[in-house]
Amino acid sequence: MKWKKYTITTTTDAEDLVSYMLTELGVEGVQIEDNIQLSEQDTKAMFVDILPELSPDDGIGKVSFFLESDADGVRYPEGIDGEDVLRQRILEGLEELKAFADVGSCELTTDETEDKDWINNWKQYFRPFAVGDIVIKPTWEEVPDGMKGGMVVDIDPGIAFGTGSHETTQLVIKQMVKYVTQKTQLLDVGTGSGILSVIGLKLGAAHVMATDLDSNAIIATRENMEANGISDSLYEVIEGNIIDDEKIRNYVGYGRYDVVTANILADIIIPLLSVIAAHMKPGAVIITSGIIDMKEEAVKAAFAANDSFEIIETTYQGEWVSITARRVK
């Protein structure tokens, strides 16, 4: 199978903003290329011994994504019916971002590639790394020396889901360590690779209910549960939209959950707040992330407009925000 590659030339400061914009357009997964050197803290967390030799950082970043291309043509994201519309939406999105950051030249180029050119290339960059005392590693690598005996999470995200190394996921993990107990009933909305569900159970949660819109996420979550030796009896993962599908909401159950995790887009978190409180126990917490800093106030305003919640903590990492709130009524 061939893939069409789209590349946006931007600045390193705007990489996350551009990636976020593409995600909002329905693009699943991006590739970022730049010459930013890893810091000493990064190399220790990722157990990297030999760093790639990079040219001096010139402030330029390239954000790429891939769309399937077959005999019937390119498969565009939902709601985008062709090349011209995709380009127009991207250019409009970049224009809006200029109010928040220097987005550079915004040159948009295209290319074609075969599976073999890129489908496994990302694996060379997914190395074991630590979030606090939790070591997250790819299933195909061994536990790093000096970390054996601690909590180890094995993840194979495939090409469609995150490895857990992104700031948004790390923010949620740090909050989960604070709130998950052996009695926790956990609801993971938008589970993706299932990494938060796996970590919740590794932290001792009694049971996890996970949801996602993508059928591939259901498969990935089950595979990652198995890779971590987690019994089927401890979790359930279902495909569906908890926001607007009453059957899914009824199946998930009401007043059941002590902790809810939602590492998704800000524009999905906002409507989620109108329905999710009903699924939580009084006093339960919801940990939200995937919020780019320019959307922080909009999410906080949505919490403030909903008298079911009070915000108890806001944490930051890079350009990303996590908001933790408690159900008060």
Side-chain angles (χ1 to χ4, degrees), residues 258-284:
D258 303 285
V259 176
V260 175
T261 54
N263 183 24
I264 46 184
L265 295 175
D267 290 342
I268 300 175
I269 291 170
I270 290 171
L272 176 68
L273 297 182
S274 66
V275 301
I276 200 64
H279 300 280
M280 301 166 62
K281 297 177 183 177

Side-chain angles (χ1 to χ4, degrees), residues 40-283:
E40 183 178 353
Q41 182 179 0
D42 292 332
T43 60
K44 288 180 179 179
M46 297 177 67
F47 301 94
V48 177
D49 297 317
I50 301 175
L51 294 176
E53 292 186 7
L54 300 176
S55 303
D57 179 16
D58 54 7
I60 296 175
K62 293 189 176 183
V63 181
S64 302
F65 63 94
F66 301 83
L67 299 179
E68 291 184 28
S69 178
D70 55 26
D72 296 325
V74 178
R75 298 184 184 180
Y76 294 99
E78 185 176 352
I80 296 177
D81 57 9
E83 170 91 13
D84 291 342
V85 175
L86 177 62
R87 284 181 168 273
Q88 180 182 351
R89 296 276 182 86
I90 291 174
L91 293 175
E92 289 174 352
L94 292 170
E95 190 66 29
E96 291 178 2
L97 292 180
K98 289 180 180 179
F100 301 95
D102 175 9
V103 292
S105 69
C106 298
E107 181 185 6
L108 175 60
T109 59
T110 59
D111 195 6
E112 284 195 353
T113 182
E114 300 281 354
D115 282 4
K116 61 181 178 8
D117 293 331
W118 68 277
I119 200 165
N120 287 312
N121 286 349
W122 63 274
K123 289 186 176 181
Q124 65 184 300
Y125 303 108
F126 181 17
R127 302 291 302 277
F129 65 96
V131 181
D133 296 329
I134 301 172
V135 174
I136 300 170
K137 75 172 189 68
T139 54
W140 56 89
E141 290 209 11
E142 298 297 320
V143 178
D145 291 340
M147 295 302 294
K148 294 180 179 179
M151 181 188 292
V152 177
V153 178
D154 285 284
I155 291 293
D156 184 348
I159 62 171
F161 303 105
T163 63
S165 60
H166 196 276
E167 290 97 331
T168 60
T169 312
Q170 293 189 35
L171 284 165
V172 179
I173 293 170
K174 291 172 184 176
Q175 293 300 95
M176 290 176 71
V177 171
K178 299 176 186 178
Y179 294 104
V180 173
T181 71
Q182 292 183 349
K183 296 181 179 180
T184 295
Q185 294 288 327
L186 174 67
L187 173 59
D188 183 18
V189 179
T191 192
S193 67
I195 185 171
L196 297 178
S197 293
V198 170
I199 289 175
L201 290 169
K202 289 261 189 177
L203 289 170
H207 190 269
V208 167
M209 173 70 74
T211 72
D212 203 285
L213 300 177
D214 190 337
S215 59
N216 292 316
I218 311 306
I219 296 169
T221 297
R222 288 173 178 155
E223 290 177 346
N224 284 317
M225 289 289 185
E226 182 177 356
N228 285 275
I230 294 173
S231 169
D232 293 350
S233 64
L234 295 177
Y235 75 95
E236 191 168 359
V237 55
I238 60 172
E239 180 181 353
N241 189 337
I242 197 171
I243 296 175
D244 57 18
D245 190 331
E246 185 176 1
K247 290 182 179 179
I248 294 296
R249 293 201 299 271
N250 290 339
Y251 188 86
V252 167
Y254 299 94
R256 289 182 53 185
Y257 299 97
D258 303 285
V259 176
V260 175
T261 54
N263 183 24
I264 46 184
L265 295 175
D267 290 342
I268 300 175
I269 291 170
I270 290 171
L272 176 68
L273 297 182
S274 66
V275 301
I276 200 64
H279 300 280
M280 301 166 62
K281 297 177 183 177

